[in-house]
Amino acid sequence: MSNPVLVELRRGNAVESMHRGAIAVVDADGALRCALGDIERPIFPRSAVKAFQALPLLTSGAADRYGLVDEELALACASHNGEAEHVRVAAAMLAKAGLDEQALECGAHWPMSDAAARELAAVGGSPGALHNNCSGKHAGFVCLGGLLGDADRRWLAGYVRHEHPLMREVTHALVCLTGQDLERAPRGIDGCSIPTYGMPLGALARGFARFASGVGLAPEHAQAAKRLRAAVAAAPFMVAGTGRFDTRVMEALGARAFVKVGAEGVYGAALPELGLGLALKIDDGNTARAAEVVTAAAIEALLPLDDMQARTLRSLAEPRLANWNGLEVGRLAPTPLLRDALAPATRRRAAGQAEAIAP
Amino acid sequence: MSNPVLVELRRGNAVESMHRGAIAVVDADGALRCALGDIERPIFPRSAVKAFQALPLLTSGAADRYGLVDEELALACASHNGEAEHVRVAAAMLAKAGLDEQALECGAHWPMSDAAARELAAVGGSPGALHNNCSGKHAGFVCLGGLLGDADRRWLAGYVRHEHPLMREVTHALVCLTGQDLERAPRGIDGCSIPTYGMPLGALARGFARFASGVGLAPEHAQAAKRLRAAVAAAPFMVAGTGRFDTRVMEALGARAFVKVGAEGVYGAALPELGLGLALKIDDGNTARAAEVVTAAAIEALLPLDDMQARTLRSLAEPRLANWNGLEVGRLAPTPLLRDALAPATRRRAAGQAEAIAP
């Protein structure tokens, strides 16, 4: 069984490429509002769950102890561009916990943003761990670790490993949000060396519904989720960066939507006013033009939008493709199948129903 | 009907992502040696046909008139990295025809190679048309145009358009190689503004078989194809660049294989000693990790290789994925279905048979 085509790229008068995948929209009780494709097969959520992994930073008291502000909490949830501001804020987080770049075990890479990479090269720089798109998440980890391990760097060493007490705290939050037994789940190593655990899209979507509403969570998790959502809404640049999808959506929608990319074509989103979560995975792992299009189409279908919000979401759901001379050469768009599957969710939401839509 | 999965990405103990597509291996008479997936649906070959589009540069006499050397002929077939050497050779081609960068209508973009882009930024540079990955192809076009239009720049203007006499010459070569009526084919505009015409994978593969063998071509096309194959084998760096798949394959195999990438997950290859051509398209448009893996697996299956060649091809067919700390986190590999479909081609080649394998 193959998942359905969710996104098509048209060039001239023909479909040139297509992206298959699956999507689940769920409430915090696990009732499906919309499902398309196989939402039971475990997928690696990758960076889509960074906000879940940041919860212990708050529930432990570390965020308060070190006086972390919105920008820093948003960066703890980020897959950022490695722009100068991201690097500055990551360094500031570490300094507050009496730590520095040396404590980070995420590895170094040139900034994810090509422009930021060229700017770094233009001043003769080279990339360090602070430029890693995960440096904010890791800074959050080591701030938490600073508290748990009493700022003992020897205790922190190896924190990226599955069995380290710091990573166990982080994984425990994932278990609470998704309701999954992650000890027995498929396991891989992420780009930044921490474990990633396989889980069904439906469970991931439910995690986002809980993150959106607090329903089904312990009070301290519900409170921490609320604070993280507010922090990212207040500082959406920190969670991604210039021109990036997550930043643009949250600049337009503020606290009405929390969206987070994961590598290999994953997105998760929390829609607090509806108490809904959504999760999707593109089979071929394409993020920039497939997972983003599906996420934008889902938000368009689910949330009532004002004119400016609608224009932003439509431009993200149906991006024009221009070539090097600026000529429009094609367009990405959600397939009618995806639009149809999402549309009834709006109608059923109005009617208060909660049945699954068969794929 | 969906195309089969040709490539899987495994992370840890699970399949994380997958790529579907189609492939055809054909001889110059059109007899299928191997086919998997839908090889009748028109696809845009994009840059995979650059060598076909370069044939008029030779058949017109322009290459001889301007004294173009192997490096320059290879660059005319290239989707290059925009490294300093590529830029230098593109400029040299233009100078030989009394032209310069201003004649190119491909548009400008930062070098395709991230490292080359950062090097350019580090010296305070900015990208021009010579950095465009298609600058060699366009330099070849305007060298041809210099001859056809008697070096009249007004005649050259607008050469990227479908109906321009220069582009008609270029398209005529495509028609001769592929046997397709391109006037009635689906049409799109490529990244560098020239037209791209939809054609079945089988026809594209047959074009590469003709390019490999000369069979079915007019003598001047056969001769020009032979010269281009030799030029690229002599200067494989020019056709792509540092670390790139096409360059690595031809550095390892020399004139035994001509391989050429096209955007959106397309590859074409000519195997002269077998008289075979192959063409493939990944449905989702992924080139770097899907189309390359399938191409490497096909060459592995079709050509007898020495140990060093076999090691190179195996590393390209089953690349290890390392994270930012250099840890191996996963692997790409052709699916057993693809391996099985390709394997009989080797056996049938030995037996001299030429039936299609049903998808």
Side-chain angles (χ1 to χ4, degrees), chain A residues 142-187:
Chain A
V142 300
C143 284
L144 169 63
L147 193 83
L148 297 180
D150 205 18
D152 177 353
R153 290 204 182 198
R154 286 166 306 179
W155 184 88
L156 262 182
Y159 71 83
V160 293
R161 294 199 315 273
H162 165 73
E163 67 278 10
H164 192 284
L166 170 53
M167 198 50 57
R168 289 206 172 274
E169 280 296 306
V170 170
T171 304
H172 176 67
L174 270 184
V175 170
C176 293
L177 269 281
T178 62
Q180 296 295 295
D181 175 2
L182 299 181
E183 281 299 318
R184 296 192 296 181
R187 194 194 307 169

Side-chain angles (χ1 to χ4, degrees), chain A residues 2 11 13 16-18 20 46 105 110 187 189-190 193 264 281 283-284 289 323 325, chain B residues 2 11 13 16-18 20 46 105 110 118 187 189-190 193 264 281 283-284 289 323 325:
Chain A
S2 60
R11 179 177 298 268
N13 54 358
E16 181 169 32
S17 298
M18 63 196 78
R20 295 172 182 272
R46 308 290 300 275
E105 297 183 356
W110 284 94
R187 194 194 307 169
I189 298 173
D190 215 319
S193 292
E264 293 293 329
K281 159 81 180 170
D283 291 355
D284 59 68
R289 70 186 196 184
N323 77 359
N325 284 318
Chain B
S2 59
R11 178 176 299 268
N13 54 0
E16 182 168 32
S17 297
M18 63 195 77
R20 295 173 182 274
R46 308 290 301 272
E105 298 183 355
W110 283 95
R118 292 192 302 261
R187 194 194 307 170
I189 299 173
D190 214 320
S193 293
E264 292 293 329
K281 159 80 180 169
D283 291 354
D284 60 68
R289 71 185 196 187
N323 76 0
N325 284 316

Side-chain angles (χ1 to χ4, degrees), chain B residues 36 74 84 98 109 131 174 180 213 226:
Chain B
L36 206 54
H109 65 76
H131 297 96
L174 271 183
Q180 297 295 296
S213 63
K226 190 175 172 187

Side-chain angles (χ1 to χ4, degrees), chain B:
Chain B
M1 277 298 298
S2 59
N3 280 329
V5 176
L6 303 182
V7 176
E8 285 180 342
L9 185 162
R10 296 189 70 88
R11 178 176 299 268
N13 54 0
V15 172
E16 182 168 32
S17 297
M18 63 195 77
H19 299 280
R20 295 173 182 274
I23 178 171
V25 183
V26 185
D27 72 19
D29 296 323
L32 276 170
R33 297 299 179 95
C34 166
L36 206 54
D38 183 353
I39 66 167
E40 297 303 326
R41 185 178 76 84
I43 61 104
F44 288 126
R46 308 290 301 272
S47 291
V49 292
K50 276 177 175 169
F52 303 172
Q53 293 168 314
L55 292 170
L57 177 64
L58 285 81
T59 56
S60 66
D64 286 335
R65 157 89 75 95
Y66 300 124
L68 300 187
V69 297
D70 282 347
E71 283 192 336
E72 293 160 336
L73 295 177
L75 198 72
C77 304
S79 297
H80 64 72
N81 268 348
E83 298 177 67
E85 272 298 282
H86 300 121
V87 171
R88 181 188 66 73
V89 173
M93 289 174 75
L94 291 166
K96 286 180 173 179
L99 294 163
D100 60 27
E101 184 172 6
Q102 301 304 318
L104 302 181
E105 298 183 355
C106 52
H109 65 76
W110 283 95
M112 182 190 282
S113 153
D114 289 341
R118 292 192 302 261
E119 280 172 28
L120 182 60
V123 297
S126 60
L130 292 174
H131 297 96
N132 188 309
N133 78 89
C134 299
S135 70
K137 176 181 72 176
H138 281 255
F141 288 163
V142 300
C143 283
L144 168 63
L147 194 82
L148 297 180
D150 204 18
D152 177 352
R153 289 203 182 198
R154 284 166 306 178
W155 184 88
L156 262 181
Y159 71 84
V160 293
R161 294 199 316 273
H162 165 74
E163 68 277 10
H164 191 283
L166 170 53
M167 198 50 57
R168 290 206 170 274
E169 280 297 305
V170 170
T171 304
H172 177 67
L174 271 183
V175 170
C176 293
L177 269 280
T178 62
Q180 297 295 296
D181 174 2
L182 299 182
E183 281 299 319
R184 295 192 298 179
R187 194 194 307 170
I189 299 173
D190 214 320
C192 65
S193 293
I194 72 164
T196 183
Y197 302 95
M199 58 184 68
L201 268 182
L204 181 59
R206 189 176 182 182
F208 276 96
R210 289 168 166 170
F211 188 79
S213 63
V215 173
L217 295 181
E220 65 272 21
H221 274 152
Q223 184 58 34
K226 190 175 172 187
R227 186 162 166 205
L228 283 178
R229 286 192 279 105
V232 174
F237 176 83
M238 281 298 140
V239 88
T242 303
R244 290 272 303 281
F245 181 89
D246 298 17
T247 295
R248 291 185 63 194
V249 168
M250 292 190 276
E251 281 175 350
L253 294 176
R256 300 187 65 204
F258 173 88
V259 301
K260 184 65 191 70
V261 67
E264 292 293 329
V266 176
Y267 255 93
L271 303 174
E273 73 200 59
L274 305 177
L276 294 179
L278 74 86
L280 62 96
K281 159 80 180 169
I282 304 299
D283 291 354
D284 60 68
N286 188 302
T287 299
R289 71 185 196 187
E292 290 180 0
V293 163
V294 177
T295 304
I299 294 173
E300 262 192 312
L302 294 164
L303 279 184
L305 302 173
D306 68 29
D307 285 355
M308 206 174 72
Q309 292 169 337
R311 273 198 301 276
T312 299
L313 270 293
R314 177 54 55 99
S315 73
L316 294 169
E318 300 193 1
R320 295 171 47 189
L321 301 175
N323 76 0
W324 301 118
N325 284 316
L327 291 175
E328 178 169 336
V329 293
R331 188 174 280 275
L332 290 162
T335 53
L337 182 83
L338 175 60
R339 290 278 195 206
D340 287 352
L342 290 165
T346 316
R347 294 198 293 274
R348 276 205 322 286
R349 192 179 68 238
Q353 297 173 314
E355 300 84 357
I357 300 172

Side-chain angles (χ1 to χ4, degrees), chain A residues 114-141:
Chain A
D114 289 342
R118 292 193 301 261
E119 280 172 27
L120 183 60
V123 297
S126 60
L130 291 174
H131 298 95
N132 188 308
N133 78 88
C134 298
S135 69
K137 175 181 71 175
H138 281 254
F141 288 164

Side-chain angles (χ1 to χ4, degrees), chain A residues 38-158:
Chain A
D38 182 353
I39 66 166
E40 296 303 325
R41 184 178 77 85
I43 61 104
F44 289 126
R46 308 290 300 275
S47 291
V49 292
K50 276 177 175 167
F52 303 173
Q53 293 168 315
L55 293 170
L57 177 64
L58 285 81
T59 56
S60 66
D64 286 335
R65 159 88 75 96
Y66 300 125
L68 300 186
V69 298
D70 283 347
E71 283 193 335
E72 294 160 335
L73 294 177
L75 197 72
C77 304
S79 297
H80 64 72
N81 267 348
E83 298 176 67
E85 271 298 282
H86 300 120
V87 171
R88 181 188 66 73
V89 172
M93 288 175 75
L94 291 166
K96 286 181 174 178
L99 294 163
D100 61 27
E101 185 173 5
Q102 301 304 316
L104 301 181
E105 297 183 356
C106 52
H109 65 75
W110 284 94
M112 182 190 279
S113 153
D114 289 342
R118 292 193 301 261
E119 280 172 27
L120 183 60
V123 297
S126 60
L130 291 174
H131 298 95
N132 188 308
N133 78 88
C134 298
S135 69
K137 175 181 71 175
H138 281 254
F141 288 164
V142 300
C143 284
L144 169 63
L147 193 83
L148 297 180
D150 205 18
D152 177 353
R153 290 204 182 198
R154 286 166 306 179
W155 184 88
L156 262 182

